[in-house]
Amino acid sequence: MIDVTGLGLIIPVLPKLIEELIHGNISDAAKYGGWLTTTYAIMQFLFSPILGGLSDQYGRRPVLLFSLFGFALDYLFLSFAPSIGWLFVGRAIAGVTGASFTTATAYIADISNDENRAQNFGMVGAAFGVGFIIGPVLGGLLGSFGPRIPFMVAAGLSFINWMYGYFVLPESLPKENRRPFNWKRANPVGSLLQLKKYPGLGGLISAFFLIYIASHAVQSNWSFFAIEKFAWSEKMIGISLGTVGLLVGAVQGGLIRIVNPWLGNEKSVYTGLLLYALGLLLFAFASQSWMMFIFLIPYCLGGISGPALQSIISGNVPANEQGELQGALTSLISLTSIAGPWLMTGLFAYYTKPGAPVHFSGAAFLLGAVLMLASAIISYRALHSNAAARKVKA
């Protein structure tokens, strides 16, 4: 939660800081924003499987501590960056050490069973939601004192988080479930290839990939879209993202514990992905500021799909390979973060620049809706194919 609060602090002010450093407009800033995220993702793609493998050998706690300290350094670089190049240096450092989500999900897998795995993964989403209630709202308010102030506060929070991890957080991985580090498995391509060991996961992994590509229509694009379309201030962006956090926290921390046992994992995946697609489609054609807040409801309800899909995938993997699995999935997410921001902010920049063939700020949201719909179809086919195969074996 503290980790995401720090991230949320900087989102409302990042577009303005980029504009200030490049002396350009919001379309230009969006392109740089996409490249910054891509830089982070490339480094995370290369290093996440290494840290995932290390967490399988040495435990989750030391890797989490290393990651949190890296984020503190990143925010310090961003706080005092004299040029756009320093932003790229900071993002590269964060990408190398950015294993907090990977290791946290492996931690959850360590302490979960088949009955509560989806709900426990949902708690990670709930922590994300609460952090996104506090972070962006506070960042929007602090941004009124200057675009660099939220970065300084985020650095302080990351250091506090490191101290909390050092003094309070216990280890989750018993020594009998640990295994030696293997360089072959720890390289990013090898890590992804390890997913081939698990039968029936190919279609679900493809759907997972498309979901994260589509999510960058919001993650990488929201602030730039809101500034260009509705002339929102940092404070308004912070309030909107705080609303996202409130809704995500309600869905992941509360609703999912009711809906998932009722619908089951499979139907939760389909229902959530269709709600995601609907929300993105509505964002694309919103014409008033207030509509964005209303349309957040179906979009955030789509969050019931993620923990259910992750639970299905995790349930097909042995206990002593959960760190490797989460490292591989994070590598996959990093691939989407290499392509997604570049694609979505590029679409936004192209359709909002002077002289664009058609001025359409919502182009990225429209593409995201199409990709979410495609992932729902792929998930349906994969899960039904697996069910048919099990019947044949029986």
Side-chain angles (χ1 to χ4, degrees), residues 112-148:
S112 301
N113 55 42
D114 290 339
E115 286 73 33
N116 64 12
R117 187 177 287 112
Q119 292 92 328
N120 287 347
F121 278 129
M123 288 303 294
V124 176
F128 185 95
V130 173
F132 246 76
I133 295 169
I134 301 169
V137 174
L138 184 59
L141 293 172
L142 290 172
S144 62
F145 299 101
R148 297 175 187 267

Side-chain angles (χ1 to χ4, degrees), residues 101-307:
F101 182 77
T102 307
T103 313
T105 51
Y107 193 111
I108 293 296
D110 293 339
I111 61 172
S112 301
N113 55 42
D114 290 339
E115 286 73 33
N116 64 12
R117 187 177 287 112
Q119 292 92 328
N120 287 347
F121 278 129
M123 288 303 294
V124 176
F128 185 95
V130 173
F132 246 76
I133 295 169
I134 301 169
V137 174
L138 184 59
L141 293 172
L142 290 172
S144 62
F145 299 101
R148 297 175 187 267
I149 300 299
F151 292 92
M152 298 175 187
V153 175
L157 280 177
S158 292
F159 185 69
I160 291 170
N161 210 15
W162 178 84
M163 290 194 294
Y164 172 82
Y166 185 83
F167 290 108
V168 178
L169 186 73
E171 180 55 63
S172 67
L173 185 64
K175 290 187 177 180
E176 62 269 19
N177 286 341
R178 299 184 188 184
R179 60 173 191 168
F181 180 80
N182 185 314
W183 276 107
K184 183 179 178 181
R185 289 174 167 175
N187 75 79
V189 177
S191 177
L192 289 172
L193 291 176
Q194 290 300 312
L195 294 171
K196 295 173 66 177
K197 296 191 308 183
Y198 312 116
L201 291 184
L204 295 178
I205 296 298
S206 298
F208 192 84
F209 181 82
L210 289 180
I211 291 166
Y212 275 88
I213 286 282
S215 70
H216 279 283
V218 173
Q219 292 178 19
S220 300
N221 203 49
W222 181 270
S223 298
F224 299 105
F225 172 84
I227 292 170
E228 197 279 336
K229 180 77 174 181
F230 303 116
W232 282 5
S233 65
E234 292 94 331
K235 181 179 178 181
M236 191 64 176
I237 293 170
I239 291 171
S240 70
L241 292 173
T243 303
V244 172
L246 184 64
L247 291 171
V248 168
V251 171
Q252 301 283 355
L255 186 63
I256 197 170
R257 293 180 176 270
I258 301 169
V259 172
N260 185 266
W262 177 50
L263 289 178
N265 282 336
E266 186 177 334
K267 289 182 180 178
S268 293
V269 170
Y270 308 145
T271 304
L273 292 177
L274 291 175
L275 285 166
Y276 269 145
L278 175 61
L280 287 164
L281 184 64
L282 292 171
F283 289 152
F285 296 100
S287 58
Q288 301 290 330
S289 287
W290 62 265
M291 293 180 179
M292 298 298 288
F293 288 88
I294 299 299
F295 298 160
L296 280 172
I297 296 173
Y299 179 78
C300 291
L301 285 173
I304 64 172
S305 62

Side-chain angles (χ1 to χ4, degrees), residues 264-391:
N265 282 336
E266 186 177 334
K267 289 182 180 178
S268 293
V269 170
Y270 308 145
T271 304
L273 292 177
L274 291 175
L275 285 166
Y276 269 145
L278 175 61
L280 287 164
L281 184 64
L282 292 171
F283 289 152
F285 296 100
S287 58
Q288 301 290 330
S289 287
W290 62 265
M291 293 180 179
M292 298 298 288
F293 288 88
I294 299 299
F295 298 160
L296 280 172
I297 296 173
Y299 179 78
C300 291
L301 285 173
I304 64 172
S305 62
L309 182 59
Q310 198 163 14
S311 177
I312 294 170
I313 295 172
S314 178
N316 283 276
V317 175
N320 66 347
E321 297 180 12
Q322 289 294 332
E324 182 182 272
L325 170 69
Q326 300 305 331
L329 291 179
T330 300
S331 291
L332 194 69
I333 293 170
S334 296
L335 279 179
T336 69
S337 296
I338 292 169
W342 172 81
L343 176 63
M344 297 304 181
T345 58
L347 269 177
F348 170 82
Y350 180 78
Y351 284 103
T352 57
K353 68 180 181 181
V358 177
H359 189 92
F360 182 36
S361 307
F365 293 133
L366 184 59
L367 177 59
V370 172
L371 293 178
M372 286 294 187
L373 186 59
S375 68
I377 294 169
I378 292 170
S379 296
Y380 179 84
R381 293 183 65 179
L383 289 170
H384 279 253
S385 175
N386 293 346
R390 285 194 295 270
K391 286 181 180 179

